[in-house]
Amino acid sequence: MKRIVLLTIVCMIIVFSAVGYYYWDNSQNETEFFDQDNNSTGDGLNESEGVETYVLQNNAQAAQALQPKILYWGSTGQDVKNVQWKLLQWGYYNSAVDGIYGTRTFNAVKRFQRQNGLLVDGVVGPQTAAALGLFFGDAGAGRGTGGGAGTLSRNDDIYLMARAIHGEARGEPYIGKVAVAAVVLNRVEHPSFPNTIASVIYQPGAFTAVADGQINLQPDSESLRAARDAMNGWDPTYGCRYYWNPATATSRWIWSRSVVIKIGKHWFGN
Amino acid sequence: MKYKNLILPIILAIALIGTAVWGYNQYAVKNEFETALNNSYQRLFYDLKNHVENVQVSLSKVLLADSRDQNVLLLSQVMQQASMAEEKLSQMPVSHFELAKTEKFLNQVAEYCFSVSENCLEGKPPNQEQREALVNLEQYTQHLTKELSHLHNKIKDGSLSIGAITREQQQQLQEAEGDMLNTRLVQLEEKMTDYPELIYDGPFSDQVMNIKPKGLGDRKVSADEARDIAVRFLKQLGRQEAITPSMMEEGQHMDKQAIIPSYTFVFESNENEQPPIYIGVSKTGGNVVWLENVRFINNPKLSIEDAQKKAGEFLSKVGYKNMEPNYNVKYDGIGVFNFAYTQDDITIYTDLIKVKVALDNGEILGIDAAQYLKAHHQRDLPEPEISADEAQARVKTNFDIDSVRLAVIPRTGVEEILCYEFKGKYNGGDFIVYVDALTGREEKILKIIQDENGTLTF
């Protein structure tokens, strides 16, 4: 009995020290990460080391870019998201843009291939990707400065807006989502605010959905369409730059705003 | 056996130690993140201060400079530094409404200097009025620099922390000292309010922001009349709803603050599963400002050309004549078509209407006439003073031109200019080049991106 007790205690000590070490180790890594970051900006002591890591990373990326990428059942990641999004846009796919190549994505890819005279295999290789207007890994590489549509688009902005809408106005009627997106764009055009979509959305303290991380949720197709509508000019707020929910707004300042219209639960004003 | 009643305390003691180790590590990690964040804010602040100082220095040099080249150079330095300062300022962990005016100041400084430098390029050195404005701006920047240095000293000696990002922390700070970054910047804000209004033509200038729409007409429309207009408009769309629209609640400042004060109606019924239709009717003139039918399309089968025809037919049916289709985009089974007004075969790019067409049955799903209503008026278009050939001589020689025509384009802000529009290819890409038809100045270059979804201009 005595031995069992001792054994248990020894085991537990081992387990706890292992857990402790794990966390300790992690935090050590974190420190290194920041050190490296400083080095690459050029003011660290062991600069050469940092630069080396940087070069190595770049080489690895370059090597990756040279191989044509193929997406198939079970693939995950941003490229899959891009494919899903394109298919969603063109009406071949109507499920979540989640970056997971599953049955629905597979079927949608097959439908797309059939419609476009491609080999119907449910695999996104270079040809299907090109037909989708996507270029994996080699964006911009080897293109002249004048040509090439693959490098320039507003898709990133639209996707960011859709995420902001999804985080900020998920439960709102469709028009309320367009309105929130319109507010972002009205801010971009106003001197009192930053001048790009990303800097308006990520401005500290501007949107609660950004502060609490809800902006990182996957946007649904309604948010995407609302983002596009707003980018194309639709503005149900008639030029407003602020909105708030009277039930939850805590800032006294917001009540001094002038009010223009109520859409869903939000008041819009200037 | 005598150890038996020691087992539990020992296990608990170990658990406690484990938690302590874990907690300490969490604390250490948190501190590291906080330091990293604080460092980047420190850097932001240093940069901000430097940019503002540079603005001040360059502004004072502009006042002394006497040659066109120096003026343009210095003014573009001011512009660049002011925009960078604005960008840095907007990243500070301070709530927006405490920075709004300072941001506006920096944006307007940048834009004002741009507009003055454009004048310089046209051979007009800054006049008395502009010089006075520049002196004024320099003084305000000086003040800004002073305040920022003051703040910076406090941050350096540690009596002010910028890293307080969580709401809790900010609350604590607010209660404790009342001397936090926020409060200091508020005081700065108060001083930034009264800088004189800058008179210039640019999208951020106060005159341009407050411009009244030109294309509405003058008749005041009551809510009931507007409702009739909305119902009639929907009939013209080919919809025979029996639903009476409800008006959306508007705020007390609608008439003053909205760009186009309007009544907004929604056609929505709970009985059938019809998606709602929204329509905005301007209070002056009774024009349909926008319409949105929230229907999702499942089986797009209509071609873009057919849809464009439908959009065009619809526009002339509701009374918009001389509209010329421009570019289009396609998404979610919807085609969006951009129409520009034409006067005497000259395209007026400021008077734009967008029409959304469902690509399944060709129904009109949306219209956005706000741009048109803002800008449209009967114009006295000047005769071009240079010929198309003369204008073409101003364009880069190996630009491969496909077509030439006259068009009116917006310049910065509200100004409109008559231009020759050259569409063509250069270095494998599609471009449009605009040359002023009166002065021969190369005004604007647009890059065209065509992809399977439509046309984009950059």
Side-chain angles (χ1 to χ4, degrees), chain A residues 3-268:
Chain A
R3 252 194 254 162
I4 294 170
V5 172
L6 270 172
L7 212 68
T8 326
I9 292 170
V10 169
C11 281
M12 290 199 69
I13 289 175
I14 291 170
V15 168
F16 272 116
S17 46
V19 171
Y21 180 74
Y22 172 77
Y23 277 110
W24 186 260
D25 205 41
N26 260 5
S27 67
Q28 294 290 314
N29 280 339
E30 229 97 62
T31 327
E32 271 165 39
F33 171 71
F34 284 121
D35 282 349
Q36 265 175 21
D37 221 33
N38 282 342
N39 285 341
S40 57
T41 54
D43 58 281
L45 279 173
N46 35 2
E47 192 172 330
S48 57
E49 208 178 300
V51 170
E52 216 170 289
T53 341
Y54 222 74
V55 172
L56 274 175
Q57 270 173 2
N58 279 349
N59 278 345
Q61 272 166 13
Q64 226 172 24
L66 288 176
Q67 289 160 359
K69 204 164 176 180
I70 294 167
L71 300 177
Y72 39 82
W73 196 314
S75 298
T76 52
Q78 189 58 44
D79 288 333
V80 178
K81 270 188 209 168
N82 293 343
V83 168
Q84 288 172 329
W85 194 33
K86 281 278 182 182
L87 291 169
L88 187 84
Q89 263 174 263
W90 295 342
Y92 293 98
Y93 180 70
N94 50 11
S95 184
V97 178
D98 53 5
I100 301 165
Y101 201 122
T103 328
R104 287 186 178 155
T105 317
F106 180 74
N107 290 334
V109 169
K110 284 212 323 205
R111 267 197 296 279
F112 174 77
Q113 289 171 328
R114 205 170 298 131
Q115 290 265 325
N116 290 277
L118 296 156
L119 179 68
V120 184
D121 56 0
V123 172
V124 183
Q127 266 122 35
T128 310
L132 279 163
L134 295 170
F135 299 93
F136 298 138
D138 65 349
R143 269 162 233 269
T145 44
T151 51
L152 270 177
S153 81
R154 297 220 164 88
N155 286 354
D156 289 342
D157 274 346
I158 292 171
Y159 196 66
L160 175 60
M161 285 261 279
R163 270 167 46 202
I165 298 168
H166 193 66
E168 282 282 315
R170 225 168 312 143
E172 290 294 298
Y174 178 77
I175 208 73
K177 293 179 181 173
V178 180
V180 166
V183 165
V184 171
L185 291 173
N186 291 335
R187 285 188 178 191
V188 173
E189 277 163 27
H190 194 272
S192 297
F193 290 90
N195 305 329
T196 65
I197 290 174
S199 44
V200 164
I201 289 176
Y202 286 112
Q203 189 174 24
F207 297 102
T208 42
V210 175
D212 64 16
Q214 288 192 64
I215 186 172
N216 296 320
L217 296 173
Q218 234 14 270
D220 53 15
S221 56
E222 217 177 283
S223 302
L224 279 166
R225 182 172 148 181
R228 285 214 173 84
D229 275 349
M231 294 277 261
N232 278 322
W234 271 261
D235 181 3
T237 71
Y238 305 100
C240 290
R241 297 185 300 277
Y242 298 96
Y243 64 90
W244 61 95
N245 182 343
T248 55
T250 47
S251 160
R252 251 177 297 130
W253 176 83
I254 204 75
W255 295 105
S256 65
R257 301 290 86 199
S258 55
V259 281
V260 170
I261 191 167
K262 189 181 186 192
I263 301 173
K265 284 194 207 69
H266 288 135
W267 272 108
F268 290 80

Side-chain angles (χ1 to χ4, degrees), chain B residues 324-343:
Chain B
E324 171 202 72
N326 226 302
Y327 65 87
N328 57 67
V329 285
K330 187 169 88 172
Y331 57 87
D332 296 339
I334 298 168
V336 178
F337 301 91
N338 205 347
F339 287 82
Y341 180 69
T342 57
Q343 180 179 331

